[in-house]
Amino acid sequence: MANLNGAATFKAFLRKLETTDPKHPDTWNPNYQDLINNDVFLKAFADEVQAARGAGRLSLAERLAAIEQTQASLSPEFIDELAGAIKYALDQAGVANSSIQALKQQIQQEGELLIENRGVVSGCTVEKSITAARNLNLTAGTCFANGRAYAVASGANMASVPSNIGAGSATVAAYLYLSAGGWKLAVTAIGESVPAGAIRLYNITIPANSTDATDPNLSNVTITSVRRVEAGFPQFFDTPVSQFVPISTLSANDWRIDIDVVSADGAPCDRKALNIASRAPNGFTLELASAADNVRVRYRVSKLNN
C-alpha cells in the first residue's frame, strides 16, 4: 500500500469538498497531502522550540526568563571589570609566550658544528708542467687528515687546469683527495666546490679566454698556495684550526657555554681539546687543540640574566 509522504510546507486552507465531487481517492488525497505537510511543518517548528528551551527547561518561557536574569546581572561595572580581567590575562599570556620564545631562541641557544682538521706536514707543492698543455705536477710530501698522517707520492701531469672561455677571470682550486691508490691531485671545474674530505692546496686564477690554444703553458694563470702547513703534526700546531659560531645576539658576552664532543676521527678528542678563543654577544670562536679530524661538537650557550 502506498503512503502519502509529508513535506515541511504550510498551507492555511483546504479545498472544500462538494456533494458533486466524485467519490474517488483523487478527490480527497490532495487535502490529506496538505494536512500531512502541515503536520511535518509544525513538527519541525516544535522540534526547534524544544531545542531552544535547552536541557532541563520545562518551557521556552523558562529558558527566556533565565537568559533575562543572567543579562540583568551583568551590570556595566561588572562588564568593565570582566573586560579588564580578560585583557590582563591576555597580556600576561603574551609576556609568558615571549619569555618562552626568548628562553628557547636567545637565553638558551643550542647548536651543532663540524670542525675539519686537515692540511700538509711537508711538501705537496704544485707546479706548472712543461711537458703537457695546461697540466700540473705534484711534489712528494706528507699530508694529514682523519687524525693521522699520510705519505703523498709525487706525480707528473697529475691534473689539468680547465679552459676559461668566459669574458671574465675565474678561480678554481687544486686539492688532494684520497683514492684507492693513495692521495692524488685534482682541480675543480669552474664554479665547482672542493669535495668533502679533500685538502685544499692552491687557488688558481684563470684569466678570460684562457684555453689550450691561447695559453697551453699556463703562462697567464696564477697559482696561489693556500696550504695549511703544520710541520709539528701531530704533537703541536702552529695555526690550530678555528671556527666562528654565530649566535642570536645577547646583551653582553658574559654568557656560559657547555660543549659536548659527539664524535671525532683519528686521534682522541675530548672537551679539553676545545678552546673558546674569543667570545662576543653575537658569537664565539672555537679552537681545536687536537690532531682529530671531523670533530662534531654540540654546544649550549646560556645567559639567564639577559
Side-chain angles (χ1 to χ4, degrees), residues 160-178:
S160 62
V161 176
S163 296
N164 177 19
I165 60 175
S169 64
T171 300
V172 296
Y175 62 91
L176 293 175
Y177 70 96
L178 184 59

Side-chain angles (χ1 to χ4, degrees), residues 57 61-76 78-79 82:
R57 304 293 182 182
E62 183 180 346
R63 174 68 184 275
L64 292 174
I67 293 174
E68 290 178 356
Q69 182 178 2
T70 301
Q71 293 296 323
S73 65
L74 296 178
S75 65
F78 178 79
I79 293 175
L82 181 61

Side-chain angles (χ1 to χ4, degrees), residues 100-119:
I100 292 173
Q101 187 175 10
L103 181 63
K104 293 172 63 178
Q105 299 180 359
Q106 187 176 32
I107 297 174
Q108 289 193 117
Q109 304 179 44
E110 295 182 343
E112 184 173 296
L113 67 145
L114 180 67
I115 302 177
E116 298 176 344
N117 189 19
R118 308 183 192 110

Side-chain angles (χ1 to χ4, degrees), residues 199-244:
I199 302 173
R200 193 183 193 110
L201 299 179
Y202 289 81
N203 288 338
I204 303 174
T205 303
I206 312 170
N209 194 31
S210 174
T211 66
D212 289 351
T214 61
D215 192 10
N217 297 322
L218 303 176
S219 301
N220 298 319
V221 172
T222 303
I223 302 178
T224 305
S225 175
V226 291
R227 296 176 306 150
R228 178 187 170 208
V229 180
E230 298 289 353
F233 178 89
Q235 285 77 18
F236 64 89
F237 294 91
D238 292 321
T239 55
V241 65
S242 62
Q243 188 166 330
F244 178 75

